[in-house]
Amino acid sequence: PQGFQILDASDQVAAVKRVVKAMALDEERYPPKQAAYFISGSKEEGLRPHDIAAPDPHTAKLIEVYAAYEVQCQREGVVDFGELMLRSYELLRDNDAVRQHYRRRFRHLLIDEFQDTNRLQYAWIKLIAGLPAEGDGGAILAVGDDDQSIYAFRGARVGNMQDFVREFHVRHQIKLEQNYRSHSN
């Protein structure tokens, strides 16, 4: 709906808890917080419930929780952060006119803290920027520190930095290897 609400992390866990309860699942076996992590992680990978393989019965049940959570959020008119990113990605991926509009509008992109991008965010960047191989890539500058990507903030993927260099045919890479911000004093 036009007046949708955005869930924060605690609201998301509360919503998942209602789903787990409505499905009559044991909260000890399917803790709402862990189910919320599963849902967020799936969205960060760009996956809807029908895209996820179920290697075991426990994962299959988490996929059912994810699907029920989506239905509940749609009914209540709410979205979480991962849903905002996933919907914008799907819109750009599935709608050529919208994708081309934003490629023309944003011919120059600067991405700071690139080490914190997850799989979905990197796919989103590629849709907006276009790849050189597609013949319509814009000018793009990414700033990041692969040494910081060990924190895996919001599903951050260190491989995005290597993929960026390869896929965007990076010609100039500037490495700052001297620390000017902190010293022994």
Side-chain angles (χ1 to χ4, degrees), residues 7-62:
L7 300 175
D8 64 17
S10 62
D11 292 333
Q12 182 185 17
V13 172
V16 171
K17 185 172 185 161
R18 291 193 309 274
V19 169
V20 168
K21 186 175 181 176
M23 293 176 69
L25 297 175
D26 179 10
E27 283 192 37
E28 296 283 322
R29 186 156 159 79
Y30 300 97
K33 192 170 189 172
Q34 288 180 357
Y37 286 145
F38 175 82
I39 292 167
S40 293
S42 298
K43 289 180 181 185
E44 289 164 0
E45 292 290 315
L47 302 173
R48 292 286 181 196
H50 63 271
D51 298 322
I52 305 169
D56 55 69
H58 185 78
T59 304
K61 194 55 76 176
L62 286 173

Side-chain angles (χ1 to χ4, degrees), residues 85 88-93 95-111 120-132 134 136-140 164 168:
M85 289 298 298
S88 65
Y89 167 76
E90 291 168 342
L91 175 66
L92 291 167
R93 180 196 65 200
N95 190 315
D96 189 55
V98 171
R99 185 175 56 255
Q100 293 307 322
H101 168 79
Y102 285 102
R103 281 186 181 177
R104 283 189 304 274
R105 183 167 179 195
F106 299 110
R107 297 295 302 159
H108 298 86
L109 298 177
L110 166 64
I111 299 132
L120 178 62
Q121 291 165 333
Y122 183 58
W124 192 88
I125 290 165
K126 291 192 302 186
L127 286 174
I128 290 286
L131 291 172
E134 298 169 349
D136 59 354
I140 184 167
F164 179 81
F168 283 92

Side-chain angles (χ1 to χ4, degrees), residues 46-96:
L47 302 173
R48 292 286 181 196
H50 63 271
D51 298 322
I52 305 169
D56 55 69
H58 185 78
T59 304
K61 194 55 76 176
L62 286 173
I63 293 167
E64 288 179 38
V65 170
Y66 179 7
Y69 171 77
E70 279 193 325
V71 169
Q72 176 177 289
C73 287
Q74 185 68 28
R75 185 178 59 246
E76 294 177 357
V78 296
V79 294
D80 55 42
F81 178 75
E83 186 68 20
L84 290 172
M85 289 298 298
L86 187 51
R87 284 190 187 194
S88 65
Y89 167 76
E90 291 168 342
L91 175 66
L92 291 167
R93 180 196 65 200
D94 300 340
N95 190 315
D96 189 55

